[in-house]
Amino acid sequence: MGAKQGETINFNAGPAKIPEAVMEKAQRELINYAGTGVSILEMSHRCAEFDNVIKGCERLLREEMNIPGDYDVIFMQGGATGQFAAVPMNLAALSRKKVQPCADYAVTGSWSEKAFKEAEKYLNVVKINSPVKPYVSVNDPATWTRDTDAAYLHYCSNETINGIEMREVPETLPGVPIVADVSSNILSRPFDVSKHGIVYGGTQKNLGAAGLTIVVVQKDLIGHENKMTPSVFSYSTMSKNNSIYNTPNCFGIYLTKLVLEWIKETGVNALFDRNETKSTMIYDLIDSSDGFYSRPAGNDVLEKKFLICALARGMIGLKGHRSVGGIRASLYNAVTLEETEVLADYMKEFMADYYDRQ
Ligand SMILES: *Cc1c(COP(=O)(O)O)cnc(C)c1O
């Protein structure tokens, strides 16, 4: 306790670091938004000021993600986990099997496994890629089985728990839309929305605060929802009402707009280059450590020491996910090159101190 701002380096997996410039702007505007005399937290979601915020947020998102005109952008709540249910509820009817609709799932880690389990409640789901735990690699998408009757093919573009990123959009069969959970790498690199039917993600990793979910849907896929679908999860209800069918996460939308302005200043390509430099710095160090650092991690005692000493130097959030343990550094857009260098230097020093005592 007692840490000062600027002395802590935040490697949290999510909610995660938000750019300092964004936090400062939000702080300056918090009590009196745009000369209205009230906070963004206190105003109607149907007033003109908020209308500007939500439209501005959508415009920036379309610009930065290159979203084609035949897609709707919907702001929802319920997180990516909510979409694990919303996707099958909205798309099951597209399966060519009408009595027992089905969908294809590529399971490459804990999140896509969770998506698969949730979807089982609504349709027949198939794991198409013969996943092998602990999910440290993915077999070639060319070898995946695919069903022409599937309502859609679901995959996760980046698995944060086990650490697998799908760099290429998997191929799909004609007439089977691809759905991607992009929660943890949205706008961290160039990404082709146009190859997808739906792209969704929570904003708490790369795009702001927790509690807002962005869903980008090809317009053709809207309007097929199962009649039991809750209104707040229905793409057609939410889209028809411009995401304010009910009270949205107003502050989350405002903060995401600020993060998008910050992303626009640098540009996604430049952010991607910087992210590559950051991750290469850490992966090269791991791979050249003669097994001292391994993937996945494996020495409990040293791991504990590593985390304690890191904390003493102001580095937080390095503990692996509770389900897999180990060490994890999340290097989202907001984590700077300099902060990543501090981690790399620390890893080198720690190895020098403990190499002989493994
Ligand atoms: C963090 C994360 C989730 C979980 O999101 P919630 O907003 O907590 O539901 C799902 N998928 C991926 C890929 C994630 O990184």
Side-chain angles (χ1 to χ4, degrees):
M1 289 296 114
K4 290 201 193 91
Q5 201 207 351
E7 283 181 2
T8 299
I9 303 184
N10 184 354
F11 294 107
N12 277 330
K17 185 179 177 189
I18 293 170
E20 272 145 43
V22 167
M23 295 295 274
E24 280 161 7
K25 181 155 191 207
Q27 184 184 44
R28 281 198 303 278
E29 295 184 332
L30 184 66
I31 291 180
N32 182 354
Y33 178 74
T36 54
V38 294
S39 172
I40 192 89
L41 290 162
E42 303 169 303
M43 62 178 65
S44 166
H45 54 293
R46 302 190 190 277
C47 72
E49 283 79 14
F50 187 71
D51 188 53
N52 279 335
V53 171
I54 194 167
K55 289 211 175 102
C57 187
E58 176 175 341
R59 185 172 16 83
L60 283 159
L61 201 64
R62 283 186 179 278
E63 228 174 82
E64 297 310 305
M65 288 182 78
N66 274 317
I67 300 174
D70 60 332
Y71 287 70
D72 270 351
V73 172
I74 310 176
F75 298 108
M76 288 193 169
Q77 299 181 60
T81 307
Q83 293 305 307
F84 294 169
V87 167
M89 284 193 281
N90 281 275
L91 299 191
L94 298 176
S95 169
R96 276 171 220 150
K97 286 208 183 103
K98 296 302 170 199
V99 182
Q100 285 194 310
C102 58
D104 285 347
Y105 276 72
V107 174
T108 55
S110 308
W111 293 120
S112 41
E113 176 78 44
K114 256 184 136 172
F116 171 87
K117 290 226 172 82
E118 186 71 17
E120 270 182 324
K121 296 178 184 170
Y122 306 96
L123 32 56
N124 284 333
V125 281
V126 177
K127 289 183 188 176
I128 60 171
N129 63 318
S130 339
V132 186
K133 283 184 181 175
Y135 306 122
V136 284
S137 64
V138 182
N139 55 4
D140 182 358
T143 66
W144 298 358
T145 56
R146 290 170 179 81
D147 185 347
T148 46
D149 293 332
Y152 57 90
L153 189 167
H154 181 282
Y155 80 104
C156 175
S157 62
N158 188 60
E159 288 281 356
T160 42
I161 295 180
N162 321 76
I164 284 187
E165 183 169 41
M166 298 283 297
R167 290 273 163 130
E168 305 282 333
V169 181
E171 293 285 324
T172 186
L173 296 172
V176 179
I178 292 215
V179 177
D181 173 2
V182 299
S183 297
S184 55
N185 64 351
I186 186 169
L187 287 174
S188 67
R189 62 177 170 99
F191 182 81
D192 191 349
V193 173
S194 74
K195 286 190 172 153
H196 297 80
I198 296 181
V199 170
Y200 69 83
T203 53
Q204 70 270 32
K205 318 279 169 70
N206 254 330
L207 283 186
L212 174 64
T213 318
I214 288 169
V215 187
V216 179
V217 199
Q218 202 167 19
K219 287 181 183 166
D220 290 356
L221 302 181
I222 297 177
H224 308 280
E225 72 275 17
N226 166 331
K227 67 180 189 326
M228 298 284 282
T229 307
S231 302
V232 292
F233 276 164
S234 153
Y235 297 149
S236 64
T237 303
M238 294 303 279
S239 159
K240 261 185 232 145
N241 289 279
N242 299 316
S243 305
I244 49 170
Y245 173 74
N246 67 326
T247 317
N249 178 348
C250 299
F251 190 78
I253 292 168
Y254 158 78
L255 202 70
T256 291
K257 176 172 173 277
L258 296 189
V259 174
L260 288 164
E261 286 164 357
W262 177 86
I263 288 175
K264 186 178 173 171
E265 263 172 42
T266 308
V268 176
N269 287 320
L271 281 172
F272 175 56
D273 287 345
R274 202 168 79 190
N275 289 336
E276 288 282 271
T277 310
K278 282 153 43 184
S279 67
T280 306
M281 196 190 304
I282 302 301
Y283 278 124
D284 280 357
L285 212 153
I286 294 171
D287 293 341
S288 63
S289 72
D290 256 340
F292 182 76
Y293 294 115
S294 61
R295 297 192 261 159
N299 180 326
D300 276 0
V301 178
L302 269 187
E303 276 166 28
K304 275 201 189 98
K305 242 184 204 116
F306 183 91
L307 292 170
I308 291 166
C309 300
L311 204 58
R313 294 170 181 225
M315 286 179 273
I316 66 162
L318 288 167
K319 196 169 173 18
H321 190 269
R322 61 198 148 78
S323 63
V324 290
I327 312 280
R328 163 173 66 175
S330 298
L331 306 175
Y332 297 120
N333 282 344
V335 176
T336 65
L337 202 58
E338 293 72 29
E339 290 175 327
T340 312
E341 274 160 1
V342 173
L343 172 63
D345 289 344
Y346 166 60
M347 286 174 71
K348 283 180 212 154
E349 270 180 53
F350 187 84
M351 182 162 85
D353 286 352
Y354 287 96
Y355 194 84
D356 298 329
R357 289 188 261 167
Q358 289 176 67

